[in-house]
Amino acid sequence: MDTELAAAYDRCRELHRRHGRTYYLATRLLPAWKRRHVHALYGFTRYADEIVDRTDGLSAAERASRLDDWAGRFLAGLHGEQVDDPLLPAVLHTIAVFDLDRNDFAAFLKSMAMDLTVSSYPSYQHLLDYMEGSAAAIGTMMLPILGSSDPVAAREPARQLGFAFQLTNFIRDVGEDLARGRTYLPDEDLDRFGVTRHELAEASARGRVTPAIRALVAFEVTRAQAHYAAAAPGITLLAPASQACMRTAYALYGGILDEVAAQDYDVFARRAVVPGRRRLSVAARSLLAPTGTPVVVPGPPTRPALDRVDHEVIAAPRRTDRQ
């Protein structure tokens, strides 16, 4: 591997280590030759996210221009042109090694561009359309690297795991997304529980949810867990050397939802984080589990928060004064 390519892989690994602690820990359980390719995909997605969300002081139009410029360099690299970029050589090399579907990368970049202009989603179907690029496509990008005994059967579980991971992030990060002017909780769900964006913002500022918001979050946890359940059969279809990694990622991301439930669905009181001791314990158990061991599917959330509002809010007239 030449110096420039090795440096690009190192750059991707550092982005992964610094910003994706949960997934980075799981990736440590992969064979070394696979790790760098996972780091490359993470670096690609993270760098695009940095342009969209962390270029402070730039207008949406300026961020869009930066994203277009970077995407242009990426597309040029796909066509064999020399690319002057600190991490794209690693991404392009990974795509070539595994013959990854270019359409997944186009779908991802399209969703990133949506974040510059779309601040909310009317329905869950609209959100799923966004997550086709931002989540499901990442699952299918990863599948050839992880390897599978039956890639066709493993494809839909990989997509579902992408949905599950991203919904987990949306639930945990409601406050952070509000600060960026976005909500990823569908408008129809807010209406169902009688919650407005203004009320979400007020609760975030107070650091405390209302009963209706608590019920809303519990509902979204239930929805995310349905995606985890749909993804579970895919873990045992992966190559033996990849199962410990994804079993760990599955358990740790699902564990974030456990932490949300443990704080009674108050996502504004503190950021839900799986404790370090539990993270290491999960990784150790996954590494020692025999090949083919099924993952433990998350159970339904504890019900009190949802039950308190099922009769009081869901049956009430829906709010239409969206703010």
Side-chain angles (χ1 to χ4, degrees):
M1 188 180 299
D2 64 41
T3 302
E4 179 186 15
L5 185 55
Y9 274 114
D10 284 344
R11 169 67 172 159
C12 292
R13 182 186 60 80
E14 180 57 23
L15 280 173
H16 198 173
R17 186 193 66 79
R18 189 185 312 155
H19 298 290
R21 293 191 307 159
T22 296
Y23 197 24
Y24 184 81
L25 173 62
T27 303
R28 299 292 295 169
L29 302 182
L30 285 173
W33 72 270
K34 288 191 177 190
R35 283 182 218 151
R36 64 173 177 266
H37 298 296
V38 177
H39 296 327
L41 292 189
Y42 183 91
F44 177 81
T45 59
R46 181 69 194 191
Y47 192 79
D49 183 69
E50 294 274 326
I51 294 173
V52 171
D53 282 339
R54 291 171 175 80
T55 44
D56 295 334
L58 297 183
S59 67
E62 290 170 322
R63 295 180 190 198
S65 178
R66 285 197 177 190
L67 184 63
D68 285 345
D69 178 67
W70 189 68
R73 294 202 302 276
F74 169 66
L75 292 173
L78 285 178
H79 288 93
E81 297 181 25
Q82 283 292 111
V83 175
D84 182 15
D85 188 89
L87 59 82
L88 282 179
V91 180
L92 295 167
H93 182 254
T94 290
I95 292 171
V97 168
F98 293 94
D99 192 24
L100 300 184
D101 189 344
R102 277 65 167 171
N103 291 328
D104 285 338
F105 293 85
F108 173 78
L109 291 170
K110 179 181 177 182
S111 289
M112 291 299 96
M114 287 175 65
D115 276 336
L116 294 168
T117 59
V118 180
S119 61
S120 64
Y121 294 86
S123 69
Y124 189 57
Q125 185 56 56
H126 286 88
L127 183 63
L128 281 173
D129 290 343
Y130 164 80
M131 292 197 297
E132 281 293 328
S134 64
I138 296 174
T140 53
M141 286 177 199
M142 282 286 299
L143 191 55
I145 298 172
L146 296 173
S148 174
S149 59
D150 189 341
V152 174
R155 179 178 172 82
E156 186 56 28
R159 286 167 38 78
Q160 291 294 326
L161 194 58
F163 289 142
F165 285 175
Q166 184 152 66
L167 278 175
T168 298
N169 288 337
F170 289 162
I171 291 165
R172 179 193 62 194
D173 298 336
V174 175
E176 293 179 26
D177 292 329
L178 281 168
R180 298 186 181 110
R182 299 191 210 114
T183 53
Y184 293 103
L185 306 184
D187 291 345
E188 66 181 7
D189 295 351
L190 271 65
D191 289 342
R192 178 181 183 181
F193 290 93
V195 176
T196 67
R197 292 184 70 183
H198 180 69
E199 288 165 346
L200 278 177
E202 285 188 332
S204 179
R206 288 195 308 269
R208 186 175 67 255
V209 298
T210 64
I213 294 173
R214 180 176 284 114
L216 168 66
V217 173
F219 174 78
E220 301 299 347
V221 167
T222 302
R223 174 175 274 158
Q225 289 178 331
H227 287 290
Y228 280 102
I235 303 298
T236 54
L237 293 175
L238 296 176
S242 298
Q243 289 187 21
C245 166
M246 295 313 297
R247 194 179 293 115
T248 298
Y250 185 102
L252 291 180
Y253 270 93
I256 294 171
L257 298 182
D258 293 340
E259 295 299 317
V260 170
Q263 57 198 54
D264 201 14
Y265 307 101
D266 189 345
V267 291
F268 299 136
R270 65 178 179 85
R271 196 171 195 262
V273 176
V274 177
R277 181 174 296 180
R278 181 181 174 190
R279 289 155 59 92
L280 294 175
S281 174
V282 165
R285 288 199 304 271
S286 296
L287 188 61
L288 294 173
T291 299
T293 301
V295 293
V296 177
V297 179
T302 54
R303 295 287 304 181
L306 193 53
D307 288 341
R308 282 198 298 270
V309 187
D310 275 345
H311 301 97
E312 300 169 11
V313 173
I314 296 176
R318 293 188 177 188
R319 298 280 290 272
T320 58
D321 55 333
R322 173 112 3 247
Q323 299 185 49

